[in-house]
Amino acid sequence: TGTVTFTTTDAGVGVAIPADYTFTSTNAGVHLFPAAVTLVTIGTQSVTATDTLVGTITGSQTGIVVQ
């Protein structure tokens, strides 16, 4: 169990990232977020997911090119 929160470097109007998600034991640590991210600002962006309790547990996708 635990909760993940999402952030992005894209601060543009219309950006969409998933809401905080709390994992349950039935997730077994896996949850899909299909079509959950929309980036709008031209350039290179990133999206990061971070555990809300242990901030050092994090994962990022960097180098996303928005055209």
Side-chain angles (χ1 to χ4, degrees):
T1 62
T3 301
V4 63
T5 190
F6 292 85
T7 57
T8 179
T9 55
D10 191 338
V13 174
V15 166
I17 55 176
D20 289 4
Y21 181 79
T22 300
F23 286 88
T24 65
S25 58
T26 58
N27 293 128
V30 177
H31 182 76
L32 298 178
F33 298 90
V37 175
T38 302
L39 303 174
V40 297
T41 304
I42 293 172
T44 303
Q45 307 296 341
S46 65
V47 176
T48 300
T50 305
D51 184 294
T52 60
L53 185 60
V54 182
T56 56
I57 300 174
T58 185
S60 295
Q61 178 62 58
T62 61
I64 304 167
V65 177
V66 179
Q67 299 181 340

Coordinates of all heavy atoms in Angstrom, one line a residue:
T1 N 0.8 -1.2 0.0 CA 0.0 0.0 0.0 C 0.9 1.2 0.0 O 2.1 1.2 0.3 CB -0.9 0.0 1.2 OG1 -0.2 0.0 2.4 CG2 -1.9 -1.2 1.2
G2 N 0.3 2.4 -0.3 CA 1.0 3.6 -0.4 C 0.4 4.5 -1.4 O -0.4 4.0 -2.2
T3 N 0.8 5.7 -1.4 CA 0.2 6.7 -2.4 C 1.3 7.3 -3.2 O 2.4 7.6 -2.8 CB -0.6 7.8 -1.6 OG1 -1.6 7.2 -0.8 CG2 -1.2 8.8 -2.6
V4 N 1.0 7.4 -4.5 CA 1.9 8.1 -5.5 C 1.3 9.4 -5.9 O 0.1 9.5 -6.1 CB 2.2 7.1 -6.7 CG1 1.0 6.8 -7.5 CG2 3.3 7.7 -7.5
T5 N 2.1 10.4 -6.1 CA 1.7 11.7 -6.7 C 2.5 12.0 -7.9 O 3.7 11.5 -8.0 CB 1.8 12.8 -5.6 OG1 1.2 14.0 -6.1 CG2 3.3 13.1 -5.3
F6 N 2.0 12.7 -8.9 CA 2.6 13.0 -10.1 C 2.9 14.5 -10.2 O 2.1 15.3 -9.8 CB 1.7 12.5 -11.3 CG 1.6 11.1 -11.4 CD1 0.6 10.4 -10.7 CD2 2.4 10.3 -12.3 CE1 0.5 9.0 -10.8 CE2 2.3 9.0 -12.4 CZ 1.3 8.3 -11.6
T7 N 4.0 14.8 -10.9 CA 4.4 16.2 -11.2 C 4.9 16.2 -12.6 O 5.3 15.2 -13.2 CB 5.4 16.7 -10.2 OG1 6.6 15.9 -10.2 CG2 4.9 16.8 -8.8
T8 N 5.0 17.4 -13.2 CA 5.6 17.6 -14.5 C 6.3 18.9 -14.6 O 5.9 19.8 -13.8 CB 4.5 17.5 -15.6 OG1 5.1 17.7 -16.9 CG2 3.4 18.5 -15.4
T9 N 7.2 19.0 -15.5 CA 7.9 20.3 -15.7 C 7.0 21.2 -16.6 O 7.3 22.4 -16.7 CB 9.2 20.1 -16.4 OG1 9.0 19.3 -17.6 CG2 10.2 19.3 -15.5
D10 N 6.0 20.7 -17.2 CA 5.1 21.5 -18.1 C 4.1 22.2 -17.2 O 3.2 21.6 -16.6 CB 4.5 20.6 -19.1 CG 3.8 21.3 -20.2 OD1 3.4 22.5 -20.0 OD2 3.5 20.7 -21.3
A11 N 4.1 23.5 -17.2 CA 3.2 24.3 -16.4 C 2.1 25.0 -17.3 O 1.4 25.9 -16.9 CB 3.9 25.4 -15.7
G12 N 2.0 24.5 -18.6 CA 1.1 25.1 -19.5 C -0.4 24.9 -19.2 O -0.7 23.9 -18.5
V13 N -1.2 25.7 -19.7 CA -2.7 25.6 -19.6 C -3.1 24.3 -20.4 O -2.7 24.2 -21.6 CB -3.4 26.8 -20.1 CG1 -4.9 26.6 -20.1 CG2 -3.0 28.0 -19.2
G14 N -3.8 23.4 -19.8 CA -4.3 22.2 -20.4 C -3.5 21.0 -20.1 O -3.8 19.9 -20.5
V15 N -2.5 21.1 -19.3 CA -1.7 20.0 -18.9 C -2.6 19.1 -18.0 O -3.3 19.6 -17.2 CB -0.4 20.4 -18.1 CG1 0.2 19.2 -17.3 CG2 0.6 21.0 -19.0
A16 N -2.4 17.8 -18.2 CA -3.2 16.8 -17.4 C -2.2 15.7 -16.9 O -1.5 15.2 -17.7 CB -4.3 16.2 -18.2
I17 N -2.2 15.5 -15.6 CA -1.5 14.4 -15.0 C -2.5 13.6 -14.1 O -3.5 14.2 -13.6 CB -0.2 14.8 -14.2 CG1 -0.6 15.9 -13.2 CG2 0.8 15.4 -15.2 CD1 0.6 16.3 -12.3
P18 N -2.2 12.4 -13.8 CA -3.1 11.6 -12.9 C -3.2 12.2 -11.5 O -2.2 12.8 -11.0 CB -2.4 10.2 -12.8 CG -1.5 10.2 -14.0 CD -1.0 11.6 -14.2
A19 N -4.4 12.1 -10.9 CA -4.5 12.4 -9.5 C -3.7 11.5 -8.7 O -3.3 10.4 -9.1 CB -6.0 12.3 -9.2
D20 N -3.5 11.9 -7.4 CA -2.8 11.0 -6.5 C -3.5 9.6 -6.5 O -4.8 9.6 -6.6 CB -2.8 11.5 -5.1 CG -1.9 12.7 -5.0 OD1 -1.3 13.2 -6.0 OD2 -1.7 13.2 -3.8
Y21 N -2.8 8.5 -6.4 CA -3.4 7.2 -6.4 C -2.9 6.4 -5.2 O -1.7 6.3 -5.0 CB -3.0 6.5 -7.7 CG -3.6 5.1 -7.8 CD1 -5.0 4.9 -8.1 CD2 -2.9 4.0 -7.4 CE1 -5.5 3.7 -8.1 CE2 -3.4 2.7 -7.5 CZ -4.8 2.6 -7.8 OH -5.3 1.3 -7.8
T22 N -3.8 5.8 -4.5 CA -3.4 5.0 -3.4 C -3.5 3.5 -3.8 O -4.6 3.0 -4.2 CB -4.3 5.3 -2.2 OG1 -4.2 6.6 -1.8 CG2 -4.0 4.4 -1.0
F23 N -2.4 2.9 -3.7 CA -2.3 1.4 -4.0 C -2.9 0.6 -2.9 O -2.8 1.0 -1.7 CB -0.8 1.0 -4.2 CG -0.2 1.5 -5.5 CD1 0.4 2.7 -5.5 CD2 -0.3 0.6 -6.6 CE1 1.0 3.1 -6.7 CE2 0.3 1.1 -7.8 CZ 0.9 2.3 -7.9
T24 N -3.5 -0.5 -3.2 CA -4.0 -1.5 -2.2 C -3.3 -2.8 -2.4 O -2.5 -3.0 -3.4 CB -5.5 -1.7 -2.5 OG1 -5.7 -2.3 -3.7 CG2 -6.3 -0.4 -2.4
S25 N -3.5 -3.7 -1.5 CA -2.8 -5.0 -1.6 C -3.2 -5.7 -2.8 O -2.4 -6.5 -3.4 CB -3.1 -5.8 -0.3 OG -4.4 -6.0 -0.2
T26 N -4.4 -5.5 -3.4 CA -4.8 -6.2 -4.6 C -4.1 -5.7 -5.8 O -4.0 -6.4 -6.8 CB -6.3 -6.1 -4.8 OG1 -6.7 -4.7 -4.9 CG2 -7.1 -6.7 -3.7
N27 N -3.5 -4.5 -5.8 CA -2.7 -4.0 -6.9 C -1.4 -4.7 -7.0 O -0.8 -4.7 -8.1 CB -2.4 -2.5 -6.7 CG -3.6 -1.6 -6.8 OD1 -3.8 -0.8 -5.9 ND2 -4.4 -1.7 -7.8
A28 N -0.9 -5.3 -6.0 CA 0.4 -6.0 -6.0 C 1.5 -5.1 -6.5 O 2.4 -5.5 -7.2 CB 0.4 -7.3 -6.8
G29 N 1.4 -3.7 -6.2 CA 2.4 -2.8 -6.6 C 2.3 -2.3 -8.1 O 3.2 -1.6 -8.6
V30 N 1.2 -2.7 -8.8 CA 1.1 -2.4 -10.2 C -0.2 -1.7 -10.5 O -1.3 -2.2 -10.0 CB 1.2 -3.6 -11.1 CG1 1.0 -3.3 -12.6 CG2 2.5 -4.3 -10.9
H31 N -0.2 -0.6 -11.2 CA -1.4 0.1 -11.6 C -1.1 0.8 -12.9 O -0.1 1.4 -13.1 CB -1.9 1.1 -10.6 CG -3.2 1.8 -11.0 ND1 -4.4 1.1 -10.9 CD2 -3.4 3.0 -11.5 CE1 -5.4 2.0 -11.3 NE2 -4.8 3.1 -11.7
L32 N -2.0 0.7 -13.9 CA -1.8 1.4 -15.2 C -2.6 2.7 -15.2 O -3.7 2.8 -14.6 CB -2.4 0.5 -16.3 CG -1.7 -0.9 -16.5 CD1 -2.3 -1.6 -17.6 CD2 -0.2 -0.7 -16.8
F33 N -2.0 3.7 -15.8 CA -2.6 5.0 -16.0 C -2.7 5.3 -17.5 O -2.0 6.1 -18.0 CB -1.8 6.1 -15.3 CG -1.6 5.9 -13.8 CD1 -0.6 5.1 -13.3 CD2 -2.5 6.4 -12.9 CE1 -0.4 4.9 -11.9 CE2 -2.4 6.2 -11.5 CZ -1.3 5.5 -11.0
P34 N -3.6 4.6 -18.2 CA -3.7 4.8 -19.6 C -4.1 6.2 -20.0 O -5.1 6.7 -19.5 CB -4.7 3.7 -20.1 CG -5.5 3.5 -18.9 CD -4.6 3.7 -17.7
A35 N -3.4 6.8 -21.0 CA -3.8 8.1 -21.5 C -4.0 9.1 -20.4 O -4.8 10.0 -20.5 CB -5.0 8.0 -22.4
A36 N -3.1 9.1 -19.4 CA -3.4 9.9 -18.2 C -2.5 11.2 -18.2 O -2.7 12.1 -17.4 CB -3.0 9.1 -17.0
V37 N -1.6 11.3 -19.2 CA -0.7 12.5 -19.2 C -0.9 13.3 -20.5 O -0.8 12.7 -21.6 CB 0.8 12.1 -19.0 CG1 1.7 13.3 -19.2 CG2 1.0 11.4 -17.7
T38 N -1.2 14.6 -20.4 CA -1.2 15.5 -21.5 C -0.3 16.6 -21.3 O -0.4 17.3 -20.3 CB -2.6 16.0 -21.7 OG1 -3.6 14.9 -21.9 CG2 -2.7 16.9 -23.0
L39 N 0.7 16.8 -22.2 CA 1.7 17.9 -22.1 C 1.4 18.8 -23.2 O 1.0 18.4 -24.3 CB 3.1 17.3 -22.2 CG 3.5 16.3 -21.1 CD1 4.9 15.7 -21.3 CD2 3.4 16.9 -19.7
V40 N 1.6 20.1 -23.0 CA 1.2 21.1 -24.0 C 2.2 22.1 -24.4 O 2.1 22.7 -25.5 CB -0.1 21.9 -23.6 CG1 -1.3 20.9 -23.4 CG2 0.2 22.6 -22.3
T41 N 3.3 22.3 -23.6 CA 4.3 23.3 -23.9 C 5.4 22.7 -24.7 O 6.0 21.7 -24.4 CB 4.9 23.8 -22.5 OG1 3.8 24.3 -21.7 CG2 5.9 24.9 -22.8
I42 N 5.6 23.4 -25.9 CA 6.6 22.9 -26.8 C 8.0 22.9 -26.1 O 8.3 23.9 -25.4 CB 6.6 23.9 -28.1 CG1 5.3 23.6 -28.9 CG2 7.8 23.6 -28.9 CD1 5.1 24.6 -30.0
G43 N 8.7 21.9 -26.4 CA 10.1 21.7 -25.8 C 10.2 20.4 -25.1 O 9.4 19.5 -25.4
T44 N 11.2 20.3 -24.3 CA 11.5 19.0 -23.6 C 10.9 19.1 -22.2 O 11.1 20.0 -21.5 CB 13.0 18.7 -23.6 OG1 13.5 18.7 -24.9 CG2 13.3 17.4 -22.9
Q45 N 10.1 18.1 -21.9 CA 9.4 18.0 -20.6 C 9.7 16.7 -19.9 O 10.3 15.8 -20.5 CB 7.9 18.1 -20.8 CG 7.4 19.3 -21.6 CD 7.7 20.7 -21.0 OE1 8.0 20.7 -19.8 NE2 7.7 21.7 -21.8
S46 N 9.3 16.6 -18.6 CA 9.4 15.4 -17.9 C 8.2 15.2 -17.0 O 7.4 16.1 -16.7 CB 10.7 15.4 -17.0 OG 10.6 16.4 -16.0
V47 N 8.0 13.9 -16.6 CA 6.9 13.6 -15.7 C 7.5 12.7 -14.6 O 8.3 11.8 -14.9 CB 5.8 12.8 -16.4 CG1 4.7 12.3 -15.4 CG2 5.2 13.6 -17.5
T48 N 7.2 13.0 -13.4 CA 7.7 12.2 -12.2 C 6.6 11.7 -11.3 O 5.6 12.4 -11.1 CB 8.6 13.2 -11.4 OG1 9.7 13.6 -12.2 CG2 9.2 12.4 -10.2
A49 N 6.8 10.5 -10.9 CA 5.9 9.9 -9.9 C 6.7 9.7 -8.6 O 7.8 9.2 -8.6 CB 5.4 8.5 -10.4
T50 N 6.1 10.1 -7.5 CA 6.8 10.1 -6.2 C 5.9 9.5 -5.1 O 4.7 9.9 -5.0 CB 7.2 11.5 -5.8 OG1 8.0 12.1 -6.8 CG2 8.1 11.5 -4.5
D51 N 6.5 8.7 -4.3 CA 5.7 8.1 -3.1 C 5.5 9.3 -2.2 O 6.4 10.1 -1.9 CB 6.6 7.0 -2.5 CG 5.9 6.4 -1.3 OD1 5.7 7.0 -0.3 OD2 5.6 5.2 -1.4
T52 N 4.3 9.4 -1.7 CA 4.0 10.6 -0.8 C 4.5 10.4 0.6 O 4.6 11.4 1.3 CB 2.5 10.8 -0.7 OG1 1.8 9.7 -0.2 CG2 1.9 11.2 -2.1
L53 N 4.8 9.2 1.0 CA 5.4 9.0 2.4 C 6.9 9.0 2.4 O 7.5 9.5 3.3 CB 4.8 7.6 2.9 CG 5.2 7.3 4.4 CD1 4.7 8.4 5.3 CD2 4.7 6.0 4.8
V54 N 7.5 8.3 1.4 CA 8.9 8.2 1.3 C 9.4 8.9 0.0 O 9.4 8.3 -1.1 CB 9.4 6.8 1.3 CG1 10.9 6.7 1.3 CG2 8.9 6.0 2.5
G55 N 9.7 10.2 0.1 CA 9.9 11.0 -1.1 C 11.1 10.6 -1.9 O 11.3 11.0 -3.1
T56 N 12.0 9.7 -1.4 CA 13.1 9.2 -2.2 C 12.7 8.1 -3.1 O 13.5 7.7 -3.9 CB 14.2 8.7 -1.2 OG1 13.7 7.7 -0.3 CG2 14.8 9.9 -0.4
I57 N 11.5 7.6 -2.9 CA 11.0 6.5 -3.9 C 10.3 7.3 -5.0 O 9.2 7.9 -4.8 CB 10.0 5.6 -3.2 CG1 10.7 4.8 -2.0 CG2 9.4 4.6 -4.2 CD1 9.7 4.0 -1.2
T58 N 11.0 7.3 -6.2 CA 10.5 8.2 -7.3 C 10.9 7.5 -8.6 O 11.9 6.8 -8.7 CB 11.1 9.6 -7.1 OG1 10.6 10.4 -8.1 CG2 12.6 9.6 -7.2
G59 N 10.2 7.9 -9.6 CA 10.5 7.5 -11.0 C 10.2 8.6 -11.9 O 9.1 9.3 -11.7
S60 N 11.0 8.8 -12.9 CA 10.8 9.9 -13.9 C 11.0 9.4 -15.3 O 11.8 8.5 -15.6 CB 11.8 11.0 -13.6 OG 11.6 11.6 -12.4
Q61 N 10.2 10.1 -16.2 CA 10.5 10.0 -17.6 C 10.9 11.4 -18.0 O 10.1 12.3 -18.0 CB 9.2 9.5 -18.4 CG 9.4 9.4 -19.9 CD 10.5 8.4 -20.2 OE1 10.4 7.2 -19.9 NE2 11.6 8.8 -20.9
T62 N 12.1 11.5 -18.4 CA 12.7 12.7 -18.9 C 12.8 12.7 -20.4 O 12.7 11.7 -21.0 CB 14.0 13.0 -18.2 OG1 15.0 12.0 -18.6 CG2 13.9 13.1 -16.7
G63 N 13.1 13.9 -21.0 CA 13.4 13.9 -22.4 C 12.2 13.7 -23.3 O 12.3 13.3 -24.4
I64 N 11.0 14.0 -22.7 CA 9.8 14.0 -23.6 C 9.7 15.2 -24.4 O 9.6 16.3 -23.9 CB 8.5 13.9 -22.7 CG1 8.6 12.7 -21.7 CG2 7.2 13.8 -23.5 CD1 7.6 12.7 -20.6
V65 N 9.7 15.0 -25.7 CA 9.7 16.2 -26.7 C 8.3 16.5 -27.1 O 7.6 15.6 -27.7 CB 10.6 15.9 -27.9 CG1 10.5 17.1 -28.9 CG2 12.1 15.7 -27.5
V66 N 7.8 17.7 -26.8 CA 6.5 18.1 -27.1 C 6.7 19.0 -28.3 O 7.4 20.0 -28.3 CB 5.8 18.8 -26.0 CG1 4.4 19.3 -26.4 CG2 5.7 17.9 -24.8
Q67 N 6.0 18.8 -29.4 CA 6.1 19.6 -30.6 C 4.8 20.3 -30.9 O 3.7 19.9 -30.6 CB 6.5 18.7 -31.8 CG 7.8 18.0 -31.6 CD 8.2 17.2 -32.8 OE1 7.4 16.8 -33.6 NE2 9.5 16.9 -32.9

